[in-house]
Amino acid sequence: MKIICIGRNYADHARELKNQVPSEPVIFMKPDSAILPKGNAFFIPDFSQNLQHELEIVIRINRLGKHIEEKFAHRYYDEFTLGLDFTARDLQSKLKEKGLPWEKAKAFDGSAFLGPWKKVKDFKLNNLEFSLSRNGEIVQAGNSQDMLFSVDKLIAEVSKYFTLKIGDLIFTGTPVGVGAVQPNDLLSLQLEGSTIAELRVK
Ligand code: ZN
């Protein structure tokens, strides 16, 4: 199973990191070892002094597919959740400056946190409000209608390059408001105003 991540899929977030708004999706990956096991706290790795949260809608692929057309992409998933794409921003900036790959900053153990799976049919995936609270204060809030590339468009684009398999995950990008986490922080992930997952930082 693989984890495909999309960068800069919300214009306001691209601007906050002084990145250009992309004309095609920015794609990177995490290995399956990046998934934080259920019930575990998130430990800030010692190689980062600026470990940031990125709240994202995550789609789970339920059919094998390659070269999927956008109009058929909705047939390839029926569940989603909210997740965190933890990022060692200081390390990422150094790698970006040198034109090197981001994996050390993005794909380390525990860097992918997942909430509980929800049925797509019970929600409006293209108009979904979601937010992240840190110690009770909302730090990120987004709506999926502000995605530069919709979920179906992302599946079409990603599957040009990579065969999608059952169980593969797509992190669909983060809205504005990324920021550093500190030991003892409590992160709460809210979907349409209700908390669906909490995570303690150590
Ligand atoms: Zn991200």
Side-chain angles (χ1 to χ4, degrees):
M1 159 295 193
K2 57 189 173 291
I3 306 169
I4 296 158
C5 302
I6 306 302
R8 304 172 199 168
N9 200 24
Y10 292 80
D12 289 350
H13 167 65
R15 285 190 207 104
E16 79 178 331
L17 295 185
K18 301 191 168 54
N19 289 315
Q20 280 189 334
V21 173
S23 55
E24 55 184 74
V26 173
I27 299 170
F28 60 95
M29 293 211 218
K30 295 178 191 266
D32 57 3
S33 48
I35 293 179
L36 188 64
K38 268 213 172 7
N40 283 26
F42 174 74
F43 284 82
I44 298 175
D46 56 11
F47 52 75
S48 180
Q49 278 20 272
N50 186 10
L51 200 295
Q52 297 196 345
H53 53 74
E54 293 192 359
L55 175 68
E56 312 200 3
I57 294 170
V58 183
I59 303 295
R60 181 152 69 178
I61 297 296
N62 66 359
R63 282 177 69 176
L64 183 75
K66 169 92 178 164
H67 292 300
I68 300 162
E69 284 185 58
E70 184 180 346
K71 65 181 174 199
F72 299 128
H74 65 275
R75 298 181 185 173
Y76 288 80
Y77 59 91
D78 58 8
E79 288 183 304
F80 76 100
T81 189
L82 297 179
L84 293 167
D85 164 21
F86 282 114
T87 303
R89 193 73 67 201
D90 44 356
L91 183 52
Q92 187 196 24
S93 300
K94 275 186 208 157
L95 295 167
K96 274 165 76 176
E97 263 169 39
K98 294 182 186 161
L100 294 171
W102 298 352
E103 274 80 356
K104 290 200 290 187
K106 281 278 198 185
F108 55 87
D109 286 3
S111 61
F113 173 71
L114 296 166
W117 294 102
K118 304 286 178 186
K119 294 281 177 210
V120 169
K121 65 173 170 52
D122 296 337
F123 294 85
K124 288 196 188 108
L125 191 61
N126 293 320
N127 184 5
L128 207 57
E129 278 188 26
F130 60 108
S131 57
L132 177 72
S133 298
R134 179 175 164 238
N135 307 323
E137 188 184 327
I138 291 183
V139 286
Q140 284 195 273
N143 189 303
S144 56
Q145 67 187 354
D146 297 325
M147 285 182 179
L148 296 171
F149 304 98
S150 69
V151 168
D152 291 352
K153 180 85 190 161
L154 291 174
I155 286 174
E157 192 64 25
V158 163
S159 70
K160 285 182 193 171
Y161 303 89
F162 312 110
T163 297
L164 294 178
K165 294 187 172 179
I166 294 170
D168 286 352
L169 305 180
I170 303 180
F171 276 67
T172 59
T174 194
V176 73
V178 300
V181 295
Q182 302 297 338
N184 296 316
D185 278 355
L186 181 66
L187 302 175
S188 309
L189 289 68
Q190 291 107 17
L191 180 64
E192 299 287 352
S194 12
T195 299
I196 60 163
E198 287 190 317
L199 177 63
R200 183 67 72 177
V201 178
K202 300 271 187 183

